[in-house]
């Protein structure tokens, strides 16, 4: 079988999103749990000899793909509304098949978890959106530094260790996935592990908190140095998934474009500081409250220059939705991507809708204000899909978005959330 980084495409549903544009958005949208936290917290639960409860788990298809792996490993899952319980006491550490691992990127977290607990893992290369080559060399370097032997045959990886020993690991790049995966592997290693140049994303703090509740001894998440003192056993614990700052950012951008007192609720405003700074620079009208922000559409937006950075910089995951706001600023803005080499899937669709964009490598020059027009377009990845929804909401006429499974893997109940605040949006069979 031919393996691609985006095997996900093969299972695409025969549905499309239909949007009738230019309807104002008012009322309140409540943000769910963070996808990027939840997809690490679910595998993390397998470190426990006991039952873990994870609350506020978002209802996204990436969660279902992880559940399939957890069940494949013979663990029990029960779901009650948005709280899930995972019992890993009967875990059977078998090969995680290619069919299961390619469904999402975060399947690589089972590497760190199973290596930590069983000193043995067999798994295939993960899947995920096609936004760049997405290597896992930094994860593997970290595992090797802890004493693991990594064998690669085709796309299959076998990781073994007689014992894992704490080490000093300096990441060449502050990778989110590698930081979390090394934290997992080091939890039950002998002695102290120090991760230098660690990623500082807020989701990593959420994961450290969970691991510590399970008995791990970790400090420093949220800074660039994380210290892990190995323990011999971990137990069941309970954690709340933090709010999704990227989902929040996406709806905040919608409020900037179409809000008539649109409130985005259930957020931690500090997590979106880089976005708010740019919105202020553009002249967007918004008011932050303790856990919410209320936005109103502004007609005279100023252009800005944006460079995506690791946290706390402007998030790469908001690059694509932000581009839609930039098409509505009066003048020339730039958007430069520095994290992923192929976060460009939204540009052809925006051009087709009437945007003025020039692309030079990973830097886009966007000149506004342009009227966008509804047409048929394709989601190429999760955040490109979000951008196309924003574009459809402000476009004249009707927009048809295909390959919508990319969107549903990371935005819970997006059609319902938007319909409730006045958008004319639906999913229909093709
Ligand atoms: C996570 C997020 C994703 C976000 C990204 C950057 C999850 C599930 N996904 O992805 O939404 O866009 O952080 O904020 O949390 N790299 C290597 N070698 C490695 C690992 C990464 O070269 O072993 C490179 C990548 O190719 C990329 C950069 O490092 O250029 C960032 O990757 P990383 O931070 O690891 O992203 P993910 O954890 O995959």
């Amino acid at each position: 079988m031919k393996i691609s980084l985006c095997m996900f495409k093969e299972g695409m549903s025969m549905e499309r999103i239909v949007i009738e544009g230019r309807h104002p958005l008012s009322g309140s949208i409540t943000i769910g749990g963070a996808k990027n936290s939840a997809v690490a917290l679910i595998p993390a639960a397998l470190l426990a000899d006991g039952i873990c409860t994870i609350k506020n788990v978002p209802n996204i298809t990436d969660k279902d793909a992880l559940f399939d792996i957890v069940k494949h490993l013979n663990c029990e899952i029960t779901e009650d509304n948005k709280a899930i319980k995972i019992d890993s006491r009967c875990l059977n550490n078998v090969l995680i098949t290619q069919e299961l691992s390619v469904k999402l990127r975060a399947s690589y977290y089972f590497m760190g978890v199973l290596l930590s607990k069983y000193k043995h893992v067999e798994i295939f290369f993960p899947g995920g959106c096609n936004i760049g080559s997405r290597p896992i060399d930094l994860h593997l370097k970290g595992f090797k530094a802890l004493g693991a032997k990594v064998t690669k045959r085709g796309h299959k990886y076998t990781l073994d260790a007689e014992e894992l020993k704490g080490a000093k690991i300096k990441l060449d790049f502050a990778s989110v996935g590698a930081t979390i995966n090394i934290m997992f592997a080091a939890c039950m290693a002998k002695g102290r592990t120090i991760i230098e140049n660690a990623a500082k994303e807020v989701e990593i703090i959420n994961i450290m908190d969970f691991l510590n509740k399970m008995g791990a001894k970790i400090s420093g998440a949220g800074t660039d140095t994380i210290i892990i003192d190995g323990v011999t056993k971990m137990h069941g614990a309970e954690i709340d998934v933090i709010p999704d700052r990227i989902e929040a950012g996406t709806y905040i951008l919608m409020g900037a474009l179409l809000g008539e007192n649109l409130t985005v609720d259930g957020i931690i405003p500090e997590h979106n500081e880089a976005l708010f700074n740019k919105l202020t620079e553009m002249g967007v009208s918004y008011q932050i409250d303790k856990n919410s922000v209320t936005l109103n559409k502004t007609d005279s937006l100023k252009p800005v220059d944006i460079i995506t950075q690791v946290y706390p910089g402007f998030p790469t995951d908001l690059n694509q939705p932000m581009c839609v706001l930039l098409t509505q600023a009066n003048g020339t803005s730039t958007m430069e991507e520095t994290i992923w080499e192929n976060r460009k899937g939204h540009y052809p669709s925006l051009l087709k809708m009437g945007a003025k964009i020039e692309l030079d490598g990973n830097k886009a020059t966007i000149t506004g204000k342009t009227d966008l027009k509804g047409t048929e377009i394709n989601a190429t990845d999760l955040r490109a899909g979000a951008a196309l929804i924003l574009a459809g909401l402000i476009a004249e006429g009707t927009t048809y978005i295909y390959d919508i499974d990319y969107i549903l893997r990371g935005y819970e109940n997006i059609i319902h959330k938007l319909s409730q605040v006045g958008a004319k949006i639906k999913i229909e069979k093709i």
Side-chain angles (χ1 to χ4, degrees):
M1 177 165 58
K2 188 170 169 283
I3 301 162
S4 85
L5 281 176
C6 231
M7 291 278 290
F8 190 76
K9 178 101 182 153
E10 290 180 6
M12 283 296 177
S13 76
M14 298 305 285
E15 291 178 325
R16 65 182 180 182
I17 289 176
V18 183
I19 305 171
E20 188 191 296
R22 301 204 169 163
H23 292 277
L25 305 178
S26 42
S28 180
I29 291 182
T30 302
I31 297 308
K35 164 185 162 294
N36 288 352
S37 260
V39 298
L41 292 169
I42 292 168
L46 305 196
L47 286 162
D49 283 327
I51 300 172
C52 286
T53 304
I54 308 173
K55 293 178 171 171
N56 197 29
V57 175
N59 186 18
I60 51 177
T61 55
D62 265 10
K63 175 203 76 172
D64 302 328
L66 284 170
F67 279 12
D68 287 344
I69 299 178
V70 171
K71 286 177 191 159
H72 173 78
L73 296 171
N74 203 39
C75 301
E76 265 179 39
I77 305 178
T78 46
E79 272 187 278
D80 180 12
N81 196 10
K82 286 185 162 195
I84 62 164
K85 278 190 196 304
I86 300 179
D87 185 348
S88 61
R89 284 173 297 184
C90 292
L91 195 148
N92 188 11
N93 187 18
V94 292
L95 165 73
I96 298 174
T97 61
Q98 185 175 27
E99 194 195 352
L100 290 166
S101 68
V102 296
K103 279 194 186 149
L104 81 169
R105 184 77 186 154
S107 56
Y108 56 36
Y109 288 134
F110 290 96
M111 283 186 171
V113 165
L114 296 173
L115 183 65
S116 195
K117 195 169 179 184
Y118 298 99
K119 316 285 178 274
H120 175 79
V121 196
E122 286 180 64
I123 188 169
F124 277 85
F125 194 83
C129 283
N130 187 16
I131 51 176
S133 64
R134 311 198 80 169
I136 57 167
D137 56 307
L138 300 174
H139 304 233
L140 300 177
K141 250 182 169 174
F143 299 148
K144 285 179 192 165
L146 295 172
K149 185 173 152 243
V150 178
T151 314
K152 181 175 180 281
R153 281 216 176 82
H155 293 272
K156 186 186 157 200
Y157 290 81
T158 304
L159 278 61
D160 280 298
E162 296 251 318
E163 74 168 358
L164 294 172
K165 272 196 192 150
K168 196 170 182 178
I169 298 164
K170 183 165 184 172
L171 294 176
D172 300 331
F173 179 85
S175 151
V176 175
T179 300
I180 295 171
N181 231 344
I182 295 167
M183 268 167 62
F184 288 157
C187 270
M188 288 192 264
K190 261 196 184 156
R192 174 168 281 197
T193 297
I194 302 174
I195 309 175
E196 289 180 345
N197 194 29
K200 294 184 281 198
E201 270 68 2
V202 287
E203 291 76 17
I204 299 171
I205 304 175
N206 199 197
I207 290 142
M208 174 183 76
D209 289 344
F210 186 39
L211 295 174
N212 283 343
K213 285 181 169 191
M214 292 165 74
K217 289 193 177 138
I218 308 175
S219 59
T223 75
D224 56 14
T225 306
I226 298 179
I227 298 173
I228 305 133
D229 285 312
V231 295
T232 50
K233 226 173 159 16
M234 291 172 70
H235 50 76
E238 193 174 300
I239 190 80
D240 280 289
V241 182
I242 58 168
D244 194 317
R245 64 193 164 94
I246 306 301
E247 186 198 17
T250 306
Y251 290 118
I252 287 168
L253 289 166
M254 291 181 193
L257 287 163
L258 288 159
E260 279 183 9
N261 282 322
L262 180 73
T263 299
V264 182
D265 201 6
I267 65 167
I268 300 175
E270 304 87 72
H271 291 181
N272 282 106
E273 208 173 308
L275 172 64
F276 285 129
N277 288 343
K278 285 296 164 191
L279 295 186
T280 303
E281 215 180 311
M282 293 182 77
V284 171
S285 158
Y286 66 91
Q287 179 146 25
I288 295 178
D289 219 323
K290 194 163 166 270
N291 289 116
S292 67
V293 57
T294 300
L295 299 110
N296 280 289
K297 175 186 157 106
T298 322
D299 283 326
S300 51
L301 293 171
K302 295 189 207 65
V304 282
D305 298 314
I306 299 174
I307 301 177
T308 63
Q309 302 281 3
V310 294
Y311 191 84
F314 192 91
T316 170
D317 288 346
L318 288 178
N319 163 339
Q320 292 152 299
M322 184 71 183
C323 283
V324 181
L325 187 65
L326 299 185
T327 68
Q328 301 308 299
N330 295 305
T332 299
S333 300
T334 56
M335 171 62 80
E336 187 175 351
E337 173 62 36
T338 68
I339 313 287
W340 299 110
E341 67 266 30
N342 194 27
R343 223 189 239 297
K344 300 174 188 167
H346 56 309
Y347 291 126
S349 294
L350 294 182
L351 284 168
K352 192 174 172 193
M353 294 176 84
K356 280 194 192 138
I357 302 169
E358 276 173 39
L359 196 57
D360 179 9
N362 278 321
K363 186 170 178 179
T365 302
I366 301 173
T367 304
K369 180 179 182 180
T370 45
D371 276 339
L372 302 187
K373 295 206 165 48
T375 181
E376 295 198 320
I377 45 183
N378 287 72
T380 53
D381 59 81
L382 169 61
R383 306 301 170 189
L388 300 193
I389 290 187
L390 262 79
L393 290 173
I394 60 166
E396 184 193 332
T398 307
T399 299
Y400 301 90
I401 305 175
Y402 294 86
D403 292 341
I404 65 170
D405 285 3
Y406 283 117
I407 302 169
L408 305 180
R409 64 190 297 185
Y411 286 92
E412 69 167 12
N413 308 330
I414 187 163
I415 304 298
H416 178 70
K417 285 186 184 185
L418 282 172
S419 300
Q420 276 202 326
V421 294
K424 300 282 177 261
I425 183 168
K426 63 180 179 186
I427 292 185
E428 70 175 27
K429 295 240 180 300
I430 305 171

